[in-house]
Amino acid sequence: KTCAVTVADAYYIIGGMDADWNKAAAFGDPNYVYFMPTETEGIYKTKSFELPKLGSFQVAPVGNTCVDDNDENVWWKHAFNGSNITPDDTVLSNNNGNIAVEKHGMYTITLDLTGEKAVISGVCDREIEDPETETIYYLFGSMSNWTVADTVEAAEGYVFTNNPDGTITLTIDLARDTEFKV
């Protein structure tokens, strides 16, 4: 087993919204949101930063490169996650062990290490209105090598059409034994 923690008392937000769960190796990387010490020892706050609705994240120590016997990175064993959230917190919630915000907005997150265990809380400084969105359905499966489409263009000819009567349809030729999902 190996473990190297290069920066003491420095924490950052790790998640899908800013770094695709990449790890911060050193303090100061502009791709990450860091916690800064406050006047109260053991309490750290982030700057106000944007989180999408249901944006999931954890709080991890900077520079943690801990690896187990199988050379698997185990930074998450040292991170503060959803189980550390105060039960009555109305801004943050537990999402499969991660922390998730309830609405799209600018957030200041607080990490409090003064008690027996870390407590993560948050304040929504400004809610951000999401634009109107439309749900698009498409077919994917063996005919497209199960490739997931991130855009309508990527789904090509497998996109369903919205009809005036509220139904959605797609007419397409499929070979025998083709497997697919919507």
Side-chain angles (χ1 to χ4, degrees):
K1 296 179 181 178
T2 62
C3 191
V5 179
T6 57
V7 181
D9 297 328
Y11 305 93
Y12 69 104
I13 297 286
I14 182 169
M17 85 299 295
D18 57 357
D20 293 325
W21 299 96
N22 294 324
K23 297 168 293 298
F27 182 77
D29 188 321
N31 295 316
Y32 300 91
V33 177
Y34 297 97
F35 288 82
M36 302 305 292
T38 66
E39 293 180 1
T40 305
E41 187 175 349
I43 295 180
Y44 300 78
K45 289 186 176 182
T46 66
K47 63 179 181 181
S48 185
F49 70 103
E50 185 176 347
L51 281 171
K53 182 178 181 180
L54 303 180
S56 292
F57 65 92
Q58 291 188 10
V59 175
V62 169
N64 188 311
T65 57
C66 295
V67 176
D68 64 12
D69 291 333
N70 299 319
D71 288 333
E72 297 284 332
N73 195 290
V74 289
W75 65 267
W76 49 269
K77 289 186 178 180
H78 303 266
F80 306 111
N81 57 28
S83 64
N84 299 112
I85 301 169
T86 53
D88 58 346
D89 197 296
T90 58
V91 176
L92 305 177
S93 60
N94 191 327
N95 181 20
N96 295 323
N98 298 319
I99 304 166
V101 298
E102 295 178 355
K103 53 192 174 185
H104 186 179
M106 299 295 294
Y107 286 86
T108 298
I109 309 299
T110 300
L111 172 63
D112 186 345
L113 300 175
T114 58
E116 291 185 9
K117 70 173 186 176
V119 175
I120 300 166
S121 59
V123 173
C124 183
D125 304 300
R126 178 171 62 87
E127 188 171 355
I128 297 174
E129 291 273 339
D130 284 318
E132 288 290 325
T133 58
E134 179 183 7
T135 301
I136 305 294
Y137 294 93
Y138 71 101
L139 214 62
F140 75 112
S142 57
M143 72 287 188
S144 60
N145 294 320
W146 295 99
T147 302
V148 177
D150 293 328
T151 64
V152 173
E153 292 76 21
E156 297 179 340
Y158 298 111
V159 176
F160 283 75
T161 301
N162 292 315
N163 302 314
D165 63 358
T167 61
I168 57 172
T169 56
L170 171 66
T171 302
I172 192 164
D173 289 332
L174 292 174
R176 178 184 293 174
D177 297 326
T178 297
E179 295 179 335
F180 65 89
K181 291 183 177 181
V182 177

